[in-house]
Amino acid sequence: MSVRIDIEGLNQRSGHVSCSMPQQVQVQRTMPQPLASMMGDHAWKMFTDRVDSAIEEPAQRHLQHQKCTCIIFAIMIGTFMTAFLSFPVTFLFAASGSQITPLPLFFLPFITWPICFILIFALSCHHGGVMDQLVTNLRTELDNQSRQVQGVTFHLREEQMVTYGRRGSHVHTTYYIEAQTGVAAVAQGVAMPAGYVQVGGGANVTERLANLESLKQKMLITDMEYQSKRAELLSTV
């Protein structure tokens, strides 16, 4: 049986920079009902605390990136509105014959926006490394928790949703934890990711092991998944 555990605040939208409400990355606090028979409240709290602790550093940087992006967008909107409103104000002062000439602010976006775009690009590049570290730490901790919690294995999954608009398509990726319970939690819980080539029945075990080793080196599967599949292959010898 598979149970979904949501990770709050851990999602990204490729090909598009947006300012969403900054949210701390953490495992959902409510234990899914199907896990109640396998884990008590204390065990669930320890699980969530350890996972949150393992990703705390990259999660904080992820949150900082969100806040910085929101600030940059606020500056861009503020300078645009200031420049837009400066035109009627300047016209009114000129029409009234006032000797006071307001400072023309229509040039503000031409000064601030190039700098903002450069900062957004730099944040996007750095954020890619932060996400890689966060996902790696999360996979490692879930692997450790799978060894410690009896009868349950935890796996990081990705859910992608493609949206189409006038500016093209955007891929929205949401991460979540899949908890597999039951006798087949380990043996059948090895879901081969994209890039896995299923070798035909006539191929020898050496080719299959080489394929499995390649997946492990590319960090497409966890250590537990690797060991489980390797044992399965060796048992056929």
Side-chain angles (χ1 to χ4, degrees):
M1 179 178 61
S2 298
V3 181
R4 174 170 177 150
I5 303 173
D6 291 325
I7 307 175
E8 300 171 355
L10 184 57
N11 56 74
Q12 63 183 82
R13 194 173 180 182
S14 63
H16 183 75
V17 179
S18 61
C19 176
S20 57
M21 182 64 66
Q23 184 179 9
Q24 179 65 43
V25 178
Q26 61 180 9
V27 179
Q28 69 175 61
R29 286 302 181 255
T30 304
M31 180 172 58
Q33 187 60 33
L35 292 180
S37 60
M38 308 293 296
M39 303 174 63
D41 292 338
H42 179 68
W44 172 256
K45 186 177 185 304
M46 289 184 61
F47 167 77
T48 56
D49 289 345
R50 289 177 179 177
V51 173
D52 290 345
S53 178
I55 63 175
E56 181 178 5
E57 181 182 352
Q60 287 294 333
R61 286 191 285 168
H62 173 75
L63 182 63
Q64 291 172 0
H65 283 161
Q66 288 183 312
K67 292 180 178 179
C68 289
T69 303
C70 287
I71 292 174
I72 293 173
F73 272 94
I75 292 174
M76 294 177 69
I77 294 174
T79 54
F80 173 79
M81 294 302 299
T82 301
F84 179 78
L85 294 176
S86 68
F87 283 102
V89 171
T90 303
F91 177 78
L92 289 175
F93 271 90
S96 64
S98 174
Q99 297 181 351
I100 302 176
T101 304
L103 182 66
L105 300 176
F106 63 87
F107 60 86
L108 276 180
F110 297 97
I111 299 177
T112 58
W113 281 33
I115 299 175
C116 289
F117 282 126
I118 293 174
L119 291 176
I120 290 175
F121 176 76
L123 283 174
S124 299
C125 294
H126 187 261
H127 184 256
V130 172
M131 285 296 299
D132 289 341
Q133 181 184 355
L134 195 153
V135 170
T136 300
N137 291 1
L138 187 54
R139 289 187 188 276
T140 302
E141 183 58 32
L142 292 178
D143 195 10
N144 294 334
Q145 292 298 316
S146 296
R147 297 190 184 96
Q148 296 177 14
V149 181
Q150 186 176 5
V152 185
T153 59
F154 302 97
H155 311 272
L156 181 64
R157 303 301 188 207
E158 298 180 14
E159 188 177 64
Q160 294 185 340
M161 181 178 64
V162 182
T163 57
Y164 298 92
R166 296 180 178 178
R167 298 182 179 179
S169 61
H170 304 287
V171 180
H172 186 84
T173 303
T174 301
Y175 295 88
Y176 67 94
I177 300 172
E178 181 184 21
Q180 296 181 343
T181 64
V183 178
V186 176
Q188 298 179 358
V190 183
M192 293 296 100
Y196 176 74
V197 178
Q198 181 64 42
V199 182
N204 57 45
V205 177
T206 303
E207 293 177 350
R208 299 187 183 187
L209 289 174
N211 188 23
L212 188 65
E213 182 67 27
S214 176
L215 289 174
K216 182 175 181 294
Q217 291 178 355
K218 295 177 182 178
M219 300 184 69
L220 294 176
I221 58 176
T222 65
D223 290 339
M224 174 165 287
E225 292 171 336
Y226 168 78
Q227 295 295 341
S228 175
K229 194 66 178 178
R230 184 174 183 274
E232 179 183 339
L233 291 175
L234 292 177
S235 66
T236 62
V237 178

